[in-house]
Amino acid sequence: AQKITQTQPGMFVQEKEAVTLDCTYDTSDPSYGLFWYKQPSSGEMIFLIYQGSYDQQNATEGRYSLNFQKARKSANLVISASQLGDSAMYFCAMREDNDYKLSFGAGTTVTVRA
Amino acid sequence: DADVTQTPRNRITKTGKRIMLECSQTKGHDRMYWYRQDPGLGLRLIYYSFDVKDINKGEISDGYSVSRQAQAKFSLSLESAIPNQTALYFCATSETGSGTQYFGPGTRLLVL
């Protein structure tokens, strides 16, 4: 079964606006971690933000914030004040604490328009 | 300098050839991983290693082998390359106890 689902294959956003990327996950493990990575057209995978399942507050890192809704099993990424350099593919991933690997979603392509 | 490096960055090879992809890290992490990325499928784990003497298969290990030569080096081999191994290959590292993985720049492999 798919552990990470990203339902938006592609999105357009106007420069300086906010954009929300959806991510839902499936696990029965009470302890897990959720991650977002950015992949620009050059190909590298850049770690953006992490949320632990027991964290009480939503994670934030600069213009990135993670909207964590545990009961709904969602971990949406919000990018505020979009910049042209935010155009990239974004991947949601999960690591269950009884496992060793990251399970990745299929990704969402974000295109920022000037 | 990059913390996780991969060589080569691009490679074209022919069916049946043996090829090795190399990964080095200066982060001091114990754990290292090899993933492949195909369009529309995200990343999938090929092999992982928790230390020099601990190597394990991931979800798609068939057709691949690995070697952990040192804590900082983890290489991936395709013994006899086939066209459906054409993909973007990533090496990643993490600290023991931390889930966050840090990726190298990737190797684009084309098997003709």
Side-chain angles (χ1 to χ4, degrees), chain B residues 57-85:
Chain B
K57 293 182 177 181
E59 56 187 304
I60 54 163
S61 59
D62 287 349
Y64 301 96
S65 62
V66 291
S67 174
R68 186 84 183 263
Q69 301 95 323
Q71 187 202 34
K73 296 183 182 296
F74 193 36
S75 59
L76 175 73
S77 293
L78 287 67
E79 297 301 326
S80 179
I82 56 177
N84 78 358
Q85 291 177 313

Side-chain angles (χ1 to χ4, degrees), chain A residues 35 37 39 41-47 50 89 91 95 99-107, chain B residues 9 31 33 35 37 40 42-43 45 48 50 57 59 88 90 99-105 108:
Chain A
F35 304 80
Y37 286 85
Q39 186 177 38
S41 58
S42 52
E44 68 268 33
M45 293 287 286
I46 302 166
F47 166 68
Y50 164 79
M89 178 84 86
F91 290 94
R95 178 180 178 269
D99 204 349
Y100 47 83
K101 66 178 177 67
L102 293 177
S103 298
F104 283 83
Chain B
R9 294 293 313 278
R31 299 184 173 191
Y33 310 80
Y35 291 89
Q37 183 181 23
L43 276 71
L45 184 66
Y48 66 102
F50 283 175
K57 293 182 177 181
E59 56 187 304
L88 179 57
F90 285 103
T100 303
Q101 294 184 17
Y102 297 91
F103 287 79
R108 294 188 185 276

